[in-house]
Amino acid sequence: MSQPQEFVDVAIVGGGMAGVSLALMLQQSCPQLSVALLEQHALPGAAASIRLPSFDARATALAAGSLQLFDELGVWSQLREYAAPIGRVQVSDRGHSVGVSLRSRSEPRASYDGMLGAVVENAALGPVLHAALAETDVRLLAPARVTDLQMSADGPQLQWCAGENEAGQSLRAGLLVVADGVDSPLCRSLGIETERVAYNQRALVTTLGLQRDHGGVAYERFTPDGPMALLPLPRRQGRHRMALVWTCPEERAPEIESLASGEFVRRLQQAFGWRAGRIECAGEVSSYPLSLSLAREQWRRDLVLVGNCAHFLHPVAGQGFNLTLRDCHGLAQVLARGGLAQNSSERLDLLQEYARSRQLDQQLTIGFSDRVPALFAAPGLLAQGVRQFGLLGLALAPPLRSEFAGQAAGFGL
């Protein structure tokens, strides 16, 4: 005898940063909706270190708008313990004196609680977000691997199992949210195509030990090989620390990644310069291929994509997860205003409203993340002149700088 099919208003597939954040927002904004979160990996208890793929050794720069969203969710007070505030962002072009400095005290439109943003190590995000989720009514299914998905007139129909030898279970939802990351298996099964731009670059990521305190300054440094970012981290065991994202051409990455620690630090110091002081040591180096990935469809009837399966950006401005949080907040707000209509036509109208509300922010953020690295990497006097003119304009025109900072912080729209 077949088991009765369970129904939930919203089923979220993917328990990484995007999926968990959306689940928390839905519980806050739409407590009347039943929500299930399916994650294919087993989750240890809240006190253990959660090592999902998205909660890896990297760090995430949270813009001021994201801090506000996390504060409204009640998790910022816990995350703050593991975060380093950003009080200033220094943007510069290697080999040129002109740069832009954005300060929290002079850019109130781009600040929250006196900060332009904060940097949190991904490994700390997992326990905090999942501990908050455990206090809600969200039904967490983990491990839960989706084995089949059918989009029917009655709504999305999911088949899932907890393990290879476990019996399959069925779940029907009013709305399916796919948040299972870049190269999403569910998107492939649904025939959702993806536009890709290969940058032929890799991001070398590690944690640095510095001789002096970073003072809450985040550095964005453009070099001939690609942009570099140094992001402040909390001190640990008396060590001043910063997170490094060093983008370099695909063909050079293996050689740099394999350098001994001392030679890696020497090469990095030479490439970045001395704006952050002396770099004393570096941790284990990981590398990630860089590309722009955009889903051709971010929504269909009864279906929404969020996170990296919807848009995966160049990390130059650290906007990927911040854009995702704004998408999740936008979806939660639309559902809070309109509920999850039982009529299929009305549900379609709700998702169209969501898409319209997010279109401009996505276009501006994705365009910036795509075009700026290419501009600063371009050789030649004309390209140098254009980018120096742009930096000079930001430095000399406070209203323009304020508009730029507000958009980057998530308050621009």
Side-chain angles (χ1 to χ4, degrees):
M1 182 176 179
S2 62
Q3 295 181 339
Q5 187 178 53
E6 182 183 2
F7 173 82
V8 293
D9 293 307
V10 182
I12 304 170
V13 178
M17 295 193 292
V20 176
S21 297
L22 176 60
L24 291 171
M25 291 177 183
L26 290 175
Q27 277 289 283
Q28 182 183 72
S29 302
C30 319
Q32 76 280 9
L33 298 180
S34 57
V35 179
L37 179 67
L38 294 84
E39 167 54 46
Q40 66 173 332
H41 296 88
L43 300 179
S49 176
I50 296 176
R51 303 298 290 180
L52 296 181
S54 61
F55 300 125
D56 54 19
R58 287 173 284 186
T60 295
L62 299 174
S66 297
L67 300 186
Q68 181 175 353
L69 291 177
F70 274 148
D71 202 5
E72 292 171 355
L73 289 174
V75 298
W76 172 236
S77 57
Q78 289 78 42
L79 282 175
R80 193 167 196 148
E81 179 182 348
Y82 307 100
I86 298 175
R88 180 162 66 96
V89 177
Q90 181 68 47
V91 183
S92 59
D93 191 2
R94 186 78 163 96
H96 300 274
S97 58
V98 176
V100 175
S101 184
L102 304 175
R103 300 174 183 269
S104 57
R105 63 175 180 267
S106 58
E107 303 293 345
R109 185 184 173 195
S111 303
Y112 181 74
D113 196 20
M115 295 172 284
L116 290 172
V119 182
V120 182
E121 290 171 288
N122 289 1
L125 278 171
V128 171
L129 293 179
H130 278 275
L133 193 67
E135 299 298 318
T136 70
D137 293 329
V138 172
R139 186 178 177 199
L140 181 59
L141 304 175
R145 181 172 61 88
V146 176
T147 57
D148 186 61
L149 170 62
Q150 299 294 327
M151 303 298 291
S152 71
D154 294 328
Q157 315 273 339
L158 296 93
Q159 299 292 325
W160 65 275
C161 64
E164 291 185 5
N165 299 321
E166 299 290 334
Q169 301 187 55
S170 180
L171 181 68
R172 183 169 67 87
L175 175 67
L176 172 65
V177 179
V178 178
D180 60 348
V182 69
D183 295 325
S184 161
L186 281 186
C187 287
R188 288 198 299 271
S189 72
L190 290 166
I192 296 177
E193 297 182 354
T194 300
E195 296 181 18
R196 295 184 184 276
V197 177
Y199 292 123
N200 298 316
Q201 291 180 324
R202 295 188 74 86
L204 304 181
V205 178
T206 189
T207 300
L208 306 176
L210 281 82
Q211 185 180 52
R212 73 184 191 203
D213 186 6
H214 50 64
V217 180
Y219 297 92
E220 195 77 50
R221 190 87 157 126
F222 293 94
T223 75
D225 284 339
M228 309 175 75
L230 261 64
L231 306 174
L233 290 174
R235 289 182 64 179
R236 183 175 293 170
Q237 297 177 339
R239 171 74 71 181
H240 303 298
R241 300 186 310 140
M242 299 192 83
L244 169 70
V245 181
W246 182 358
T247 63
C248 60
E250 187 82 43
E251 63 273 13
R252 290 192 56 208
E255 183 260 330
I256 298 175
E257 186 179 3
S258 64
L259 292 173
S261 179
E263 179 60 19
F264 179 87
V265 168
R266 188 194 70 79
R267 190 85 65 90
L268 171 63
Q269 189 86 72
Q270 182 181 44
F272 183 82
W274 295 85
R275 288 175 180 253
R278 181 180 295 279
I279 302 168
E280 294 186 330
C281 60
E284 182 179 354
V285 179
S286 301
S287 71
Y288 303 88
L290 297 182
S291 64
L292 172 67
S293 176
L294 299 175
R296 291 184 182 272
E297 304 169 82
Q298 289 191 27
W299 66 279
R300 290 177 179 175
R301 190 189 70 176
D302 303 333
L303 172 71
V304 175
L305 276 56
V306 298
N308 287 344
C309 65
H311 41 65
F312 181 74
L313 312 185
H314 194 293
V316 57
Q319 284 297 308
F321 180 57
N322 294 295
L323 181 61
T324 287
L325 277 183
R326 300 198 293 272
D327 288 344
C328 292
H329 181 255
L331 180 59
Q333 292 303 300
V334 166
L335 294 180
R337 290 193 299 270
L340 194 60
Q342 297 304 309
N343 180 281
S344 179
S345 177
E346 291 177 355
R347 290 202 302 272
L348 193 62
D349 290 342
L350 279 177
L351 296 185
Q352 286 177 328
E353 179 185 347
Y354 163 71
R356 286 194 300 267
S357 71
R358 299 301 308 138
Q359 184 175 15
L360 181 57
D361 186 14
Q362 286 195 10
Q363 286 177 343
L364 291 175
T365 303
I366 293 170
F368 176 81
S369 296
D370 179 45
R371 295 186 185 98
V372 167
L375 173 61
F376 278 88
L381 294 177
L382 179 59
Q384 291 179 19
V386 169
R387 60 190 186 232
Q388 287 301 299
F389 180 78
L391 289 177
L392 183 62
L394 287 175
L396 297 179
L400 181 62
R401 186 175 63 240
S402 179
E403 187 72 23
F404 168 80
Q407 167 61 25
F411 297 135
L413 299 166

